[in-house]
Amino acid sequence: MKELVSPKSTIDLTRVPNASDRFNINSQLEHLQAKYVGTGHADLNRFEWAVNIQRDSYASYVGHYPILAYFAIAENEAIGRERYNFMQKMLLPCGLPPEREED
Amino acid sequence: MYLYSLTLQQATGIVCAINGNFVGGKAQEIVVARGKSLDLLRPDEAGKIQTLHSVEVFGAIRCLAHFRLTGSQRLRRRRLGPGRIVIMEYHKEKNCFHKLYQETFGKSGCRRIVPGQYLAVDPKGRAVMIAACEKQKLVYVLNRDTAARLTISSPLEAHKSHTITYSITGVDCGFDNPIFAAIELDYSEADQDSTGQAASEAQKHLTFYELDLGLNHVSRKWTEPIDNGANLLVTVPGGDDGPSGVLVCAENFVIYKNQGHPDVRAVIPRRADLPAERGVLIVSSATHRQKSMFFFLLQTEYGDIFKVTLEHKRDEQDRVHVTELKIKYFDTIPVTSAMCVLKTGFLFAASEFGNHALYQFQAIGDGDDVEASSATLMETEEGFQPVFFQPRGLKNLVRIDQVASLMPIMDMKVMNLFEEETPQIFTLCGRGPRSSLRILRPGLAISEMAVSQLPGVPNAVWTVKKNVNDEFDAYIVVSFPSGTLVLSIGETVEEVSDSGFLDTTPSLAVSLLGDDSLMQVHPNGIRHIREDGRINEWKTPGKKTIVKVGSNRLQVVIALSGGELIYFEMDMTGQLMEVEKHEMPGDVACLDIAPVPEGKQRSRFLAVGSYDNTIRILSLDPDDCMQVLSVQSVSSPPESLLLLEVQASTGGEDGADHPASVFLNAGLQNGVLFRTVVDMVTGQLSDTRSRFLGLRAPKLFKAIVRGRQAMLCLSSRPWLGYIHQGHFLLTPLSYETLEFAASFSSDQCAEGVVAVAGDALRIFTIERLGETFNETIIPLRYTPRKFVLQTRKKFLVIIESDQGAFTAEERESARKECLEADGVGENGDANNVERMENGVGEDEEKEDPLSDEQYGYPKAESDKWVSCIRILDPKSGNTTCLLELQDNEAAFSICTVNFHDKEYGTLLAVGTAKGLQFLPKRSLVSGYIHIYRFIEEGKSLELLHKTQVEGVPLALCQFQGRLLAGIGAVLRLYDVGKRRLLRKCENKLFPNTINSIHTYRDRIYVGDIQESFHYCKYRRDENQLYIFADDSVPRWLTASHHVDFDTMAGSDKFGNVYFVRLPQDVSDEIEEDPTGGKIKWEQGKLNGAPNKVEEIVQFHVGDVVTCLQKASLIPGGGECIIYGTVMGSLGALLAFTSREDVDFFSHLEMHMRQEHPPLCGRDHMAYRSAYFPVKDVIDGDLCEQFPTLPPDLQRKIADELDRTPGEILKKLEDIRNKII
């Protein structure tokens, strides 16, 4: 298994970047974004950000059984149904994505 | 402020459960995860569930699976917390779980891409897959090294980006390469496509992952689209036993799938009364496998269990084809979070809310029932043709035991309504038709076997065996002031006169002497009854009488009036011989001899208590007979003494490496139980502990609990001191005051107690050892929300409401219709409503073919609400008034209020919402505040008026003769009018929704649902409400409690408990501002209040806390914050009173963290700081694991703390005794 390395240890932010470093950092960021779902970037738009937050929230609800039970009581549903609903909502948590600006 | 946190009642809900053979032997055990603790349960011969072991793991257990390595005889089991997989086995000898292997794969908690949500094991135990909600899947290969130890490979990745996983399972493919199946959904295109076409075309796939054991590599072997409602996979037995493959459970369908096999699909039958828009989802499953057959039990979200069977045949190429899939209605039980089919013919159902149950199979569903089959599946233009059924009474299962579960605790109050010695805890528990009010009392439940009246008022009772080898007692001897009654124990208990006991005199002691002779001590002598009927009588000299006796099997010491002690010993011939006399300085108050140690001639110690407030230990050895070995002075004259062997610690059942220590227990006249350790060699006393038990001097008696020595202490209430899982526990019994008691053993009851109280003889047994509370249950109708006390008559007013259910009348008419349709007679069901609220007894349940408790309420549309307001008399458990709200209204808040003008007296305010909907956005028709007047002495309610408001009134509170209401984001002050409430003042500056209001003097403490506390002030002269302070942390508040003028305690949705305090200088400034101009014009930054409260305490409980209250659970004990949680656990936070204790416990906690890291591998500090760093709270649950450590480790920690292990145990015991 590849070592799980935290972002801090791969990028030395104290160094003054030069041109080649910048390229290097960008590629490293890309690598991090691919590896850690939800890592943001400079061009992140509002929708993408919200989708990430929502997916993280739903995953957290599903992962913490007491919270799932708390929701189940509020909605008067079975815990299993509540879990299924949350998982289903991970597909389009914030509705349809906005149209891309063609530029 | 430093707090000591202690869990009083472990979580009672169950997250997941697995069954298997963990201990060895033929027995089947169940391992249940209760969120943060792990229990090993076993049904005993009588079908009662017993807890073998329970351990707190300080982490969230999300998934359990068990496996057996090929060729291994031992079953091992495994579990995992967030980011870790732990493989452990159960050590029978040590009675604990032993961690075999722990692998960390994520350190950042339960997150989207941290594996741990799902867990699947290869049926042959060769590999294990762990998956996250999204993307990540890891496969570990399990193997053994040359020493047959388990090894685990480094993880193999089977990740796929932008993919959501719904379920995984291991596919049974014999000894071919292990295969795991997963339900996956790729969302990458849907995220990009703004037209919505990609989203509507998104398709779930069933994917098989193959682990190539030769190449050590995981590959996607096969993937195929499946029904988009799929949510659960169930392994189908393969190899020689079955067709292999998986069952895909989807909304409304069960589909059999395998690689290279066409789908076999059948619909899940639906309840006839189910609204059309609702689907049927499988929420839990269990598989039963025998040599010749297998079947699956699948439970739907409504509680109906279906038996699924597969018809399969083998073709010429030895491939197995599934020809038909049948789904047959089996039975209906409350919805479970996990089901376990035990090989012994039991079904363990871990209910998601409410009590768990153990069922026995009466049949396996071979009878005639509604069945859906793949062969008869009809596809029409609108879809597949549904199959309908009507739930019926249990046919295949019969319930034989229940395990209490408080889950979820909705509200709680600690009050002493019954004027008992200790307060009771009133909890609102459960959901829907299974909800209840449970009255918890600290103590053990007892079950009374017999009560019989005696001819007079007895003062003592003993039981005695005829022979030392007898299993059961032969006689019960009862002493009266003027005589003695002998009862023989047989089929029945009856009086006998041929026992040889003298019946004309009261008795002081009756016991077995030697191997087979009996002794009766009466005031004028000792009567020794030999086995052959000969009687030896020893008479007291002169006019002296015997006042006290202490004896064991071979030694007797009597105390004569005046203070003379005479010591007798039994010689070789079985004669009782006088050995020594000793003159004590004054009268003897009590005395006791320790039991004869195994293989010894005599016990060495005699304990004598005198009226001069001393206890002496005297030697009984021949060389220094009657020499005083040590003296202990006590605070009050001792009333009763008992020398008891206690194993201070466990390590093994036999206790070989932990020699038991002898404790001298003394009941003092001031009601204190005094315990001290007796040195086995020198007789010196050390390590004293005392505890107040009650208003009367405790009398101490020996008892046997689970084959071990225990102690009964009878004060103003009875207590039992016994050893449970390595701890010595002293727990009250929930029983009336007793005078005298003795252990009792007969073939009906192996470990009972016989006691006298008043003129009655009582025989009882003690149940459910180890539990802290026993409960009285009063059933309710809907999910209880809140309750208040009607202070004058001490009635409880409870509001209950449920979403998506029909009102009682609608249900009743539907039920009638359905029963008529079924041809079942009326059967007295008309008064069903009545029965529901007055408690459904066991036998009544049988009459009722469709009790709501078992079947749940029929589902209505989600925007329909039912609700009621109930007045309940807690003493009798009777409901005196029940108002069902009409027109889709639901009650959410309640309070009692006394308005300024005293015209009405105490009124009841109830906040309701009409037509509330949560989805897609919270909306409602309108909110109301109802004002009721108590009539018929508080037994009933009369509506005065109702006032329409614009939001849901989630919080109500009385304030200076007016009513404060939190309506959405508005805090409003109302006064009462003739026809409605009158607005007086309001503040609209709250961020979201107000969900709690507390008041003290002119301060108002408002809790916001997302933004923690806001401190407000009301200025009467200006008639204005100001927010002068708030919290800097956005807390999602679930419960709150007012602690003192500046301090509030709260809990948030993520399982944290915290205290906030207004800094002293700010508080003073606010109070000293006479004009109030300063607060009024002061502006905060970023729309906040000008002042901020400080967080002074923070602790992660790991469970959603739903109620908080400051209370003291024992008379004279410290006040602590008691909390109840969704998972049904109760805990306490006690404030330390001395700096020394804080230092001691924080050091102990630190050492425990280092030396005894939690079982599931989660760092303890990280767990308690999961959301915010833990602050000033010491985790008592971790400290209390100290006695379970091996002795050398205990000594090591004790040395570091400059104490002995005994002192640490004493400290732990002391602080626990301050709480409960």
Side-chain angles (χ1 to χ4, degrees):
Chain A
M1 179 201 169
K2 273 174 272 174
E3 274 294 310
L4 290 178
V5 195
S6 74
K8 256 187 202 152
S9 56
T10 49
I11 311 170
D12 187 358
L13 295 171
T14 55
R15 270 187 346 161
V16 180
N18 54 35
S20 65
D21 270 350
R22 197 177 302 138
F23 175 72
N24 193 18
I25 286 171
N26 276 340
S27 73
Q28 282 191 14
L29 263 177
E30 260 166 40
H31 170 71
L32 284 176
Q33 271 147 8
K35 190 166 176 183
Y36 300 107
V37 178
T39 311
H41 54 86
D43 298 328
L44 196 73
N45 68 24
R46 184 191 163 90
F47 177 79
E48 285 165 353
W49 179 83
V51 162
N52 255 323
I53 297 288
Q54 288 295 325
R55 287 212 177 106
D56 282 344
S57 301
Y58 286 130
S60 175
Y61 300 157
V62 169
H64 293 96
Y65 194 80
I67 298 188
L68 204 56
Y70 191 66
F71 279 112
I73 296 162
E75 298 197 7
N76 199 15
E77 294 283 357
I79 292 176
R81 163 63 77 171
E82 207 67 9
R83 182 186 291 130
Y84 172 76
N85 285 352
F86 287 146
M87 291 301 292
Q88 290 293 83
K89 279 182 190 164
M90 281 173 85
L91 175 63
L92 276 183
C94 303
L96 292 175
E99 285 196 31
R100 288 244 184 107
E101 289 167 31
E102 300 295 326
D103 50 358
Chain B
M1 178 159 55
Y2 284 85
L3 300 176
Y4 183 76
S5 152
L6 190 65
T7 305
L8 302 178
Q9 161 86 61
Q10 264 193 358
T12 43
I14 291 178
V15 175
C16 43
I18 49 168
N19 62 306
N21 181 328
F22 302 107
V23 176
K26 290 249 170 190
Q28 286 260 307
E29 289 89 29
I30 305 158
V31 174
V32 298
R34 300 182 189 271
K36 47 186 178 163
S37 66
L38 196 62
D39 290 7
L40 183 67
L41 311 178
R42 178 197 280 169
D44 65 7
E45 294 81 28
K48 294 255 181 245
I49 298 260
Q50 302 290 348
T51 305
L52 296 186
H53 180 58
S54 168
V55 62
E56 166 100 36
V57 297
F58 305 104
I61 302 172
R62 299 209 282 173
C63 224
L64 288 171
H66 70 101
F67 65 95
R68 182 206 291 262
L69 281 178
T70 40
S72 158
Q73 282 310 302
R74 248 205 183 130
L75 268 162
R76 319 220 168 181
R77 41 169 304 262
R78 51 198 315 307
R79 50 156 306 282
L80 89 178
R84 260 169 216 90
I85 169 169
V86 180
I87 301 184
M88 52 178 90
E89 70 181 343
Y90 182 72
H91 267 230
K92 190 180 171 190
E93 301 78 36
K94 287 194 187 155
N95 188 25
C96 70
F97 289 116
H98 174 65
K99 186 153 68 182
L100 292 175
Y101 208 89
Q102 172 187 330
E103 174 81 19
T104 306
F105 45 75
K107 289 183 175 169
S108 45
C110 295
R111 286 192 314 123
R112 177 149 59 122
I113 56 159
V114 175
Q117 182 65 38
Y118 308 107
L119 179 66
V121 187
D122 171 57
K124 291 282 182 268
R126 294 166 298 171
V128 51
M129 177 183 259
I130 301 159
C133 289
E134 186 178 320
K135 186 183 166 187
Q136 301 223 21
K137 287 184 200 70
L138 297 175
V139 177
Y140 290 90
V141 183
L142 305 167
N143 229 321
R144 332 136 142 280
D145 60 11
T146 45
R149 276 185 313 232
L150 176 76
T151 60
I152 183 165
S153 73
S154 44
L156 306 169
E157 294 184 3
H159 300 344
K160 186 163 184 292
S161 299
H162 310 294
T163 303
I164 300 165
T165 308
Y166 286 82
S167 176
I168 62 171
T169 188
V171 179
D172 189 353
C173 46
F175 285 102
D176 295 339
N177 277 334
I179 291 177
F180 293 98
I183 302 175
E184 294 179 339
L185 173 68
D186 190 318
Y187 66 71
S188 54
E189 278 173 27
D191 269 5
Q192 308 298 328
D193 180 16
S194 59
T195 60
Q197 195 184 349
S200 62
E201 282 169 4
Q203 181 67 44
K204 282 183 190 168
H205 282 75
L206 178 71
T207 309
F208 276 19
Y209 289 91
E210 184 178 19
L211 167 66
D212 193 319
L213 286 171
L215 296 171
N216 204 21
H217 172 71
V218 184
S219 57
R220 284 168 81 87
K221 190 184 180 203
W222 172 70
T223 181
E224 203 177 85
I226 47 166
D227 193 292
N228 260 343
N231 71 317
L232 185 71
L233 292 176
V234 182
T235 309
V236 176
D240 296 334
D241 302 334
S244 183
V246 289
L247 284 184
V248 180
C249 304
E251 212 170 354
N252 298 328
F253 298 101
V254 176
I255 307 148
Y256 171 80
K257 276 187 95 76
N258 199 0
Q259 192 176 0
H261 191 287
D263 289 5
V264 184
R265 175 190 286 256
V267 297
I268 304 171
R270 12 183 334 124
R271 287 191 183 189
D273 55 7
L274 208 59
E277 86 260 11
R278 291 196 66 105
V280 182
L281 199 69
I282 301 293
V283 293
S284 70
S285 72
T287 310
H288 178 69
R289 287 178 76 159
Q290 274 178 349
K291 280 230 167 65
S292 53
M293 53 89 95
F294 61 89
F295 63 83
F296 310 92
L297 293 181
L298 304 179
Q299 191 181 31
T300 68
E301 57 185 311
Y302 311 110
D304 306 313
I305 299 182
F306 293 96
K307 176 186 168 185
V308 174
T309 46
L310 294 173
E311 294 286 323
H312 56 94
K313 62 168 195 268
R314 235 166 245 279
D315 67 6
E316 309 80 58
Q317 284 106 39
D318 205 33
R319 280 192 309 218
V320 188
H321 280 277
V322 172
T323 51
E324 194 180 353
L325 189 156
K326 289 183 193 161
I327 306 179
K328 192 175 198 178
Y329 176 58
F330 192 73
D331 261 338
T332 301
I333 62 172
V335 185
T336 63
S337 57
M339 293 190 293
C340 297
V341 179
L342 306 185
K343 291 227 157 57
T344 39
F346 293 108
L347 176 80
F348 177 71
S351 302
E352 54 179 28
F353 296 108
N355 290 356
H356 314 299
L358 185 71
Y359 295 88
Q360 189 160 30
F361 283 99
Q362 299 289 90
I364 51 165
D366 293 330
D368 191 23
D369 268 307
V370 172
E371 186 178 71
S373 161
S374 59
T376 56
L377 186 70
M378 298 275 284
E379 194 166 5
T380 61
E381 276 169 19
E382 289 125 48
F384 294 97
Q385 185 105 46
V387 176
F388 293 101
F389 77 100
Q390 194 66 46
R392 50 154 172 74
L394 290 182
K395 212 158 100 180
N396 298 306
L397 298 171
V398 57
R399 192 176 76 199
I400 54 171
D401 192 25
Q402 283 207 76
V403 185
S405 166
L406 299 175
M407 180 173 178
I409 299 180
M410 300 294 289
D411 199 4
M412 171 196 75
K413 279 191 174 43
V414 183
M415 298 180 285
N416 196 350
L417 289 190
F418 302 148
E419 271 131 33
E420 289 169 11
E421 209 160 283
T422 55
Q424 305 86 47
I425 305 178
F426 294 83
T427 54
L428 295 180
C429 304
R431 192 178 72 161
R434 304 186 81 209
S435 45
S436 55
L437 169 76
R438 298 188 188 213
I439 306 168
L440 306 181
R441 291 181 176 89
L444 292 170
I446 62 120
S447 74
E448 209 164 55
M449 313 270 294
V451 179
S452 52
Q453 296 296 313
L454 293 170
V457 177
N459 48 20
V461 63
W462 299 270
T463 55
V464 63
K465 290 177 184 173
K466 272 186 178 165
N467 189 299
V468 72
N469 297 320
D470 282 356
E471 200 180 339
F472 302 123
D473 292 322
Y475 297 118
I476 297 176
V477 183
V478 187
S479 166
F480 296 91
S482 59
T484 298
L485 180 73
V486 183
L487 306 165
S488 88
I489 306 168
E491 290 282 293
T492 57
V493 174
E494 52 198 20
E495 190 178 343
V496 285
S497 52
D498 59 348
S499 58
F501 289 112
L502 197 61
D503 58 1
T504 53
T505 167
S507 300
L508 291 171
V510 172
S511 69
L512 178 76
L513 213 57
D515 283 341
D516 50 10
S517 62
L518 301 174
M519 175 188 72
Q520 179 190 19
V521 183
H522 51 87
N524 297 316
I526 302 174
R527 193 177 168 93
H528 185 196
I529 305 151
R530 304 288 293 263
E531 192 249 341
D532 50 11
R534 281 182 297 152
I535 290 172
N536 298 343
E537 191 98 23
W538 179 90
K539 292 245 185 303
T540 53
K543 286 195 170 162
K544 288 190 169 175
T545 54
I546 302 177
V547 286
K548 297 289 170 194
V549 191
S551 70
N552 61 24
R553 220 160 52 72
L554 297 172
Q555 298 160 287
V556 181
V557 174
I558 55 168
L560 300 181
S561 50
E564 191 180 356
L565 290 179
I566 308 179
Y567 171 44
F568 298 86
E569 220 173 79
M570 193 159 203
D571 69 5
M572 292 306 205
T573 62
Q575 285 279 7
L576 202 58
M577 304 296 286
E578 189 178 322
V579 177
E580 186 71 54
K581 281 188 185 175
H582 181 76
E583 198 72 37
M584 293 294 286
D587 261 341
V588 170
C590 47
L591 50 84
D592 190 49
I593 310 181
V596 182
E598 201 74 32
K600 295 263 174 70
Q601 278 287 316
R602 58 178 68 80
S603 161
R604 186 162 139 68
F605 301 120
L606 164 72
V608 181
S610 318
Y611 287 105
D612 57 357
N613 293 4
T614 54
I615 302 170
R616 291 178 173 80
I617 300 287
L618 275 63
S619 167
L620 294 177
D621 262 8
D623 0 329
D624 56 351
C625 198
M626 290 300 187
Q627 296 287 312
V628 176
L629 296 175
S630 61
V631 182
Q632 170 79 48
S633 69
V634 288
S635 55
S636 160
E639 164 81 17
S640 173
L641 288 175
L642 184 72
L643 287 157
L644 186 74
E645 262 186 32
V646 172
Q647 264 180 274
S649 171
T650 54
E653 284 285 300
D654 52 274
D657 46 350
H658 305 270
S661 47
V662 171
F663 270 84
L664 171 69
N665 298 281
L668 309 183
Q669 280 187 358
N670 57 5
V672 168
L673 175 73
F674 178 87
R675 302 172 59 217
T676 170
V677 178
V678 184
D679 188 302
M680 292 301 278
V681 181
T682 63
Q684 289 300 314
L685 300 175
S686 60
D687 190 15
T688 60
R689 308 161 188 202
S690 53
R691 179 163 189 193
F692 178 72
L693 294 191
L695 298 171
R696 290 170 43 172
K699 288 185 198 154
L700 312 178
F701 303 95
K702 271 192 200 98
I704 300 289
V705 167
R706 288 198 192 129
R708 293 215 208 157
Q709 287 208 23
M711 169 174 70
L712 266 172
C713 318
L714 306 183
S715 179
S716 48
R717 54 181 172 154
W719 294 68
L720 182 73
Y722 66 108
I723 297 163
H724 180 73
Q725 292 187 356
H727 294 264
F728 180 81
L729 298 179
L730 190 61
T731 334
L733 302 180
S734 289
Y735 205 40
E736 56 194 88
T737 309
L738 301 174
E739 284 297 325
F740 207 96
S743 69
F744 175 81
S745 169
S746 75
D747 53 353
Q748 281 101 17
C749 122
E751 281 178 2
V753 175
V754 55
V756 291
D759 63 348
L761 183 77
R762 294 164 187 275
I763 300 175
F764 60 88
T765 57
I766 297 153
E767 294 201 323
R768 306 239 182 240
L769 290 163
E771 282 185 13
T772 335
F773 297 103
N774 74 79
E775 56 186 35
T776 316
I777 302 178
I778 301 167
L780 302 175
R781 192 183 280 188
Y782 307 120
T783 310
R785 303 283 160 168
K786 277 175 185 148
F787 71 124
V788 290
L789 178 72
Q790 195 257 15
T791 36
R792 276 185 59 205
K793 283 282 166 184
K794 302 230 159 44
F795 291 152
L796 302 178
V797 189
I798 306 170
I799 48 171
E800 305 163 27
S801 39
D802 259 339
Q803 192 183 12
F806 293 104
T807 60
E809 295 93 69
E810 286 169 326
R811 284 200 309 274
E812 199 48 42
S813 61
R815 172 192 294 262
K816 260 187 206 145
E817 259 172 45
C818 117
L819 286 178
E820 271 159 27
D822 272 12
V824 182
E826 271 292 289
N827 199 346
D829 267 47
N831 58 354
N832 187 49
V833 179
E834 225 93 311
R835 258 201 275 146
M836 251 169 9
E837 65 228 24
N838 284 332
V840 183
E842 288 284 305
D843 38 10
E844 276 178 304
E845 223 166 272
K846 274 176 208 136
E847 276 173 38
D848 186 358
L850 288 169
S851 80
D852 287 322
E853 284 193 37
Q854 191 81 357
Y855 299 94
Y857 289 140
K859 290 277 175 192
E861 292 76 23
S862 65
D863 58 347
K864 259 181 86 74
W865 285 84
V866 286
S867 183
C868 64
I869 306 167
R870 173 197 301 266
I871 299 185
L872 190 118
D873 178 8
K875 286 199 184 81
S876 62
N878 285 339
T879 299
T880 56
C881 167
L882 190 132
L883 289 179
E884 187 126 353
L885 298 183
Q886 304 298 323
D887 295 340
N888 222 359
E889 253 185 272
F892 287 99
S893 56
I894 185 168
C895 83
T896 52
V897 53
N898 286 299
F899 282 103
H900 258 311
D901 53 28
K902 306 252 170 5
E903 190 189 333
Y904 302 108
T906 304
L907 298 176
L908 182 75
V910 177
T912 66
K914 184 174 174 179
L916 180 66
Q917 263 182 298
F918 294 123
L919 293 172
K921 216 170 169 200
R922 190 154 83 173
S923 64
L924 74 164
V925 176
S926 67
Y928 294 97
I929 299 174
H930 297 222
I931 301 289
Y932 292 95
R933 181 161 57 180
F934 289 102
I935 52 171
E936 296 167 31
E937 295 180 311
K939 280 188 183 147
S940 192
L941 291 174
E942 184 188 55
L943 182 70
L944 216 56
H945 51 66
K946 72 189 211 186
T947 310
Q948 187 169 350
V949 292
E950 69 276 18
V952 191
L954 273 184
L956 296 173
C957 186
Q958 179 184 339
F959 178 67
Q960 298 184 347
R962 290 169 171 185
L963 178 70
L964 262 179
I967 299 151
V970 182
L971 181 70
R972 193 174 291 150
L973 195 57
Y974 282 108
D975 209 338
V976 72
K978 288 275 178 230
R979 308 188 57 184
R980 51 170 292 142
L981 289 172
L982 310 169
R983 290 182 191 201
K984 290 294 169 195
C985 168
E986 70 177 15
N987 185 328
K988 293 184 174 174
L989 295 174
F990 292 91
N992 294 292
T993 305
I994 293 168
N995 72 347
S996 78
I997 302 175
H998 297 263
T999 58
Y1000 187 76
R1001 304 219 299 247
D1002 63 346
R1003 271 195 195 170
I1004 302 162
Y1005 309 85
V1006 176
D1008 186 272
I1009 206 163
Q1010 285 180 28
E1011 296 278 346
S1012 191
F1013 294 112
H1014 297 255
Y1015 285 29
C1016 310
K1017 207 171 168 75
Y1018 175 67
R1019 292 200 57 85
R1020 183 171 281 273
D1021 43 351
E1022 290 174 47
N1023 190 28
Q1024 275 189 310
L1025 286 160
Y1026 310 111
I1027 305 173
F1028 64 86
D1030 65 5
D1031 196 353
S1032 51
V1033 186
R1035 300 272 194 170
W1036 292 65
L1037 211 59
T1038 54
S1040 57
H1041 188 77
H1042 176 243
V1043 179
D1044 63 35
F1045 192 49
D1046 291 327
T1047 316
M1048 288 295 289
S1051 65
D1052 70 22
K1053 201 171 81 172
F1054 308 104
N1056 303 306
V1057 172
Y1058 68 104
F1059 283 34
V1060 290
R1061 177 173 285 171
L1062 191 67
Q1064 190 61 48
D1065 51 329
V1066 179
S1067 178
D1068 291 345
E1069 210 172 287
I1070 303 284
E1071 294 309 303
E1072 284 160 11
D1073 184 18
T1075 59
K1078 186 147 181 261
I1079 346 172
K1080 189 173 171 186
W1081 299 112
E1082 212 171 6
Q1083 292 272 314
K1085 291 183 175 63
L1086 299 170
N1087 301 324
N1091 302 298
K1092 295 290 169 192
V1093 291
E1094 285 173 350
E1095 180 185 282
I1096 54 166
V1097 163
Q1098 154 64 38
F1099 187 66
H1100 180 65
V1101 175
D1103 196 350
V1104 181
V1105 172
T1106 50
C1107 40
L1108 288 165
Q1109 201 196 344
K1110 187 167 77 174
S1112 158
L1113 288 181
I1114 48 167
E1119 283 221 310
C1120 36
I1121 296 280
I1122 314 284
Y1123 62 81
T1125 71
V1126 161
M1127 293 292 286
S1129 78
L1130 288 171
L1133 297 163
L1134 176 77
F1136 282 106
T1137 46
S1138 81
R1139 189 79 218 176
E1140 271 167 58
D1141 280 354
V1142 176
D1143 285 346
F1144 169 75
F1145 280 105
S1146 41
H1147 281 103
L1148 177 62
E1149 188 188 32
M1150 183 185 82
H1151 287 297
M1152 288 297 292
R1153 277 178 183 153
Q1154 277 166 3
E1155 307 291 344
H1156 184 63
L1159 189 62
C1160 79
R1162 179 100 159 114
D1163 178 50
H1164 177 264
M1165 176 100 87
Y1167 174 65
R1168 291 301 184 195
S1169 311
Y1171 290 82
F1172 301 93
V1174 59
K1175 188 168 185 334
D1176 296 352
V1177 181
I1178 288 151
D1179 186 2
D1181 296 336
L1182 182 69
C1183 295
E1184 286 212 336
Q1185 290 191 348
F1186 179 78
T1188 63
L1189 299 183
D1192 47 337
L1193 206 54
Q1194 285 190 16
R1195 262 192 301 278
K1196 190 179 157 202
I1197 294 179
D1199 285 347
E1200 302 256 6
L1201 294 168
D1202 282 340
R1203 285 172 199 257
T1204 63
E1207 285 172 325
I1208 295 182
L1209 293 178
K1210 184 186 160 192
K1211 273 275 195 195
L1212 288 169
E1213 214 173 279
D1214 279 351
I1215 196 147
R1216 181 174 257 274
N1217 291 347
K1218 274 187 202 164
I1219 297 173
I1220 190 156

